[in-house]
Amino acid sequence: MAADLTPDNISTSDIRHHLERYKCIIPTELCALSELRYNEIPQILLKRKDDENEEPFLEKAEVQQLVEWKLASRCHCVTQLSLPAQQLKHGTFRPTLTRLVASNSSATVYITTRNSFIPYSLDESRHPSLPIANLTRLKGIGPATASLLLSCYDPTNVPFFSDELYRWLHDSAEPTRQEEGEKTKKRKLSTRKPKRISYTIKEYIFIFDRVTALRSRLDASSDGGEPVKAVDVERAAYSIMKARQEEGTTVDTAEDPGTGETKAPALKRRKRKRAA
């Protein structure tokens, strides 16, 4: 079952299985945006990176398309849930976020993405903290969306800060079904309050380090096949968490109005925070 798969025990074959499942659970209306996010824009960036006469960067329209993919994906996930109408915040705040992103000038997007990608490519450690921080200077771009832009530049090493990936990595620390018993575990998983996600660079580094460790473990036990990429782990985690949702063993989240990032629904109102 999906609930039994953790970053500590998942195998390469498990990831391949969920990558195939991922293709089947993406709704038809998101296929074009998914093609842009996972294939077309990364290929454009790769071509720019390999071109001696050009530097790697993202155009404003490409950033807008990636943000549209992120928001459309979250909208699809949230609207499948049986949540009260006031918790379906994605549609309400989407125009605000897209307008913020659109308010960046083409020159600003070009300079900011170029000045984030080039130093990252020259850094032997390939650590994402500085480029993520630089990308968040763009209006409407928080750490999660910044990780999306950087992931398109380096899908091999950089995962996207998705809710599903974050929760899957954190859930691995919880007791196993064998420790608590099948019924007790299912009851606790289906009724517990979801953890509130803090969309900070610190939390993203947790994701990055965990995914890097997972990939290293799989590479060490590899039979010589194609190495698992960060983007593969991201999509596999999405599939796993959606399978858990179908099994009734997890809880999804609603969206934070300030940044367009998603957060767990809160019972009490909180003061709105300014976008990162």
Side-chain angles (χ1 to χ4, degrees):
M1 294 181 70
D4 298 320
L5 290 177
T6 74
D8 297 323
N9 65 25
I10 196 169
S11 66
T12 300
S13 61
D14 291 327
I15 288 181
R16 300 300 179 205
H17 166 75
H18 278 280
L19 284 175
E20 289 301 313
R21 183 177 181 276
Y22 179 89
K23 299 175 184 177
C24 300
I25 62 178
I26 294 298
T28 304
E29 58 268 26
L30 294 184
C31 287
L33 286 172
S34 292
E35 179 67 16
L36 281 168
R37 184 267 181 267
Y38 289 113
N39 295 311
E40 293 183 20
I41 293 179
Q43 286 298 319
I44 289 171
L45 281 169
L46 181 62
K47 184 178 179 181
R48 289 172 184 160
K49 183 167 54 175
D50 292 342
D51 190 339
E52 294 181 357
N53 299 317
E54 194 169 22
E55 297 175 327
F57 67 92
L58 281 170
E59 294 182 350
K60 178 179 176 178
E62 292 162 349
V63 172
Q64 290 176 294
Q65 288 170 330
L66 290 171
V67 171
E68 184 180 356
W69 169 83
K70 176 176 176 287
L71 292 174
S73 299
R74 288 308 307 159
C75 187
H76 171 74
C77 295
V78 172
T79 52
Q80 291 187 90
L81 304 174
S82 298
L83 293 174
Q86 65 269 25
Q87 291 184 12
L88 300 179
K89 296 180 178 179
H90 187 98
T92 301
F93 293 98
R94 180 178 179 181
T96 302
L97 183 62
T98 53
R99 282 198 299 268
L100 273 174
V101 175
S103 69
N104 294 292
S105 69
S106 297
T108 298
V109 172
Y110 169 81
I111 293 171
T112 303
T113 56
R114 183 197 62 183
N115 290 348
S116 300
F117 295 156
I118 293 177
Y120 171 78
S121 65
L122 297 176
D123 182 5
E124 292 184 2
S125 69
R126 290 296 177 95
H127 200 274
S129 56
L130 284 179
I132 293 291
N134 288 335
L135 289 168
T136 57
R137 295 176 181 176
L138 292 171
K139 297 174 185 176
I141 304 297
T145 310
S147 73
L148 172 59
L149 306 185
L150 190 61
S151 177
C152 285
Y153 179 73
D154 184 8
T156 298
N157 299 298
V158 179
F160 163 50
F161 188 164
S162 69
D163 287 9
E164 291 78 17
L165 179 58
Y166 177 91
R167 293 193 183 285
W168 181 60
L169 295 173
H170 271 282
D171 281 353
S172 65
E174 296 188 357
T176 63
R177 289 181 179 272
Q178 290 74 19
E179 290 172 337
E180 290 200 35
E182 192 78 20
K183 292 182 179 179
T184 302
K185 176 63 176 176
K186 186 171 183 178
R187 183 175 65 253
K188 287 193 174 185
L189 281 172
S190 61
T191 59
R192 72 175 187 270
K193 295 179 181 178
K195 299 181 183 72
R196 179 172 291 278
I197 300 177
S198 177
Y199 293 96
T200 62
I201 295 177
K202 179 180 178 181
E203 288 293 349
Y204 178 71
I205 297 307
F206 162 81
I207 291 175
F208 175 80
D209 288 344
R210 289 281 280 162
V211 170
T212 300
L214 166 59
R215 293 177 55 238
S216 296
R217 176 177 67 80
L218 295 178
D219 286 347
S221 59
S222 173
D223 56 1
E226 185 178 351
V228 171
K229 301 177 182 178
V231 72
D232 297 333
V233 179
E234 170 203 321
R235 285 181 287 185
Y238 180 94
S239 172
I240 291 168
M241 295 306 287
K242 292 307 158 188
R244 290 185 183 182
Q245 189 180 88
E246 294 167 4
E247 296 166 3
T249 57
T250 191
V251 183
D252 216 311
T253 61
E255 186 176 275
D256 172 56
T259 62
E261 317 291 34
T262 51
K263 288 191 176 183
L267 295 179
K268 296 182 180 180
R269 288 188 176 183
R270 295 178 180 270
K271 293 182 179 180
R272 292 176 63 177
K273 296 181 179 180
R274 300 176 66 180

